[in-house]
Amino acid sequence: MAPALTTISAAEIREMPREYRRTFINCLSGFKGLHLCGTIDPGGRHNLALFSNVIHVGANPPLLGVLFRPDAAPLGTLDNIVQTGVFTLNQVREEWLQAAHQTSARYPGGVSEFEQVGLTPVASTWHGVPYVLEAELRIGMELREKHLISANSTTLVVGEVVEIQVNGEAIGPDGFLDLAALGSISCLGLDSYYRSEGLGRFPYAKAPTISD
């Protein structure tokens, strides 16, 4: 028997206390991948910020999107991306999750989160923008588009993948990248983290032939 469900109206959502509503609504989209975004400012100073709003946009060309909230701490990250046109995405592992979480603190401008949390910057081979040495999946990105979402003043940055550094043992013969094997962490809501565990892969779904 299906469980009884609670119905929450739009009016009830609007009446929720601000912090409660933010936490609740942030959970609705489900588990999300967790990335550290590495950038560099025009003066060569490193910046590192935690993101769970990274989405697949397309495979040819390979595009990923990153969503920036209007009041989020990593506004310096967005400024750096716009000014330099490059950034990196580094998947978070359990062994240094606490350090990754700490990068979401509001550090003053010009302060390197790498130094503050004890992670190691390593220069990419195509640009001076930093990867996270401790990550086993590092993605080099070049800015392609920036869109303001007028409904809530968030900004969607679309970047093209120009380099990938990955533990090759996690790549299957069909191109499947096993993030669970890499120890990648996922996020639910704003501050709750989970381990990855595979439940199996299914064949491509096809509708059965229906006779008249």
Side-chain angles (χ1 to χ4, degrees):
M1 179 180 295
L5 301 183
T6 299
T7 298
I8 302 172
S9 68
E12 290 172 315
I13 293 173
R14 289 193 297 269
E15 293 169 1
M16 290 176 177
R18 180 176 180 273
E19 296 299 321
Y20 180 98
R21 182 177 61 243
R22 184 182 68 173
T23 299
F24 180 71
I25 298 301
N26 265 278
C27 291
L28 294 182
S29 57
F31 297 103
K32 301 179 286 290
L34 198 62
H35 301 77
L36 284 173
C37 182
T39 60
I40 193 169
D41 70 14
R45 292 173 295 190
H46 292 165
N47 181 277
L48 193 64
L50 188 64
F51 284 85
S52 61
N53 294 319
V54 176
I55 62 171
H56 168 81
V57 176
N60 187 24
L63 302 174
L64 297 174
V66 183
L67 191 67
F68 288 78
R69 299 191 308 274
D71 60 345
L75 290 179
T77 300
L78 180 58
D79 292 340
N80 290 348
I81 292 173
V82 171
Q83 292 180 68
T84 66
V86 290
F87 59 104
T88 69
L89 295 173
N90 306 266
Q91 287 228 338
V92 176
R93 289 172 52 85
E94 182 177 358
E95 292 84 350
W96 40 276
L97 174 59
Q98 181 63 50
H101 177 79
Q102 184 60 31
T103 66
S104 61
R106 293 178 181 267
Y107 290 102
V111 172
S112 170
E113 288 82 2
F114 281 100
E115 295 178 1
Q116 295 297 312
V117 306
L119 293 174
T120 311
V122 56
S124 62
T125 59
W126 54 279
H127 196 279
V129 64
Y131 287 123
V132 176
L133 178 64
E134 291 79 3
E136 292 194 17
L137 174 57
R138 312 168 191 158
I139 309 168
M141 306 290 299
E142 288 187 353
L143 175 64
R144 289 293 175 261
E145 300 180 21
K146 180 171 76 76
H147 301 277
L148 176 66
I149 300 175
S150 58
N152 64 351
S153 298
T154 54
T155 299
L156 176 65
V157 166
V158 178
E160 181 171 351
V161 177
V162 295
E163 181 178 74
I164 301 168
Q165 296 183 359
V166 61
N167 183 337
E169 295 182 0
I171 304 176
D174 62 349
F176 179 75
L177 181 57
D178 189 350
L179 297 184
L182 292 178
S184 296
I185 293 297
S186 61
C187 176
L188 179 62
L190 298 169
D191 55 11
S192 185
Y193 303 107
Y194 297 81
R195 297 185 180 97
S196 301
E197 181 180 354
L199 297 177
R201 296 181 66 192
F202 292 81
Y204 185 82
K206 297 181 180 180
T209 302
I210 302 175
S211 58
D212 294 334

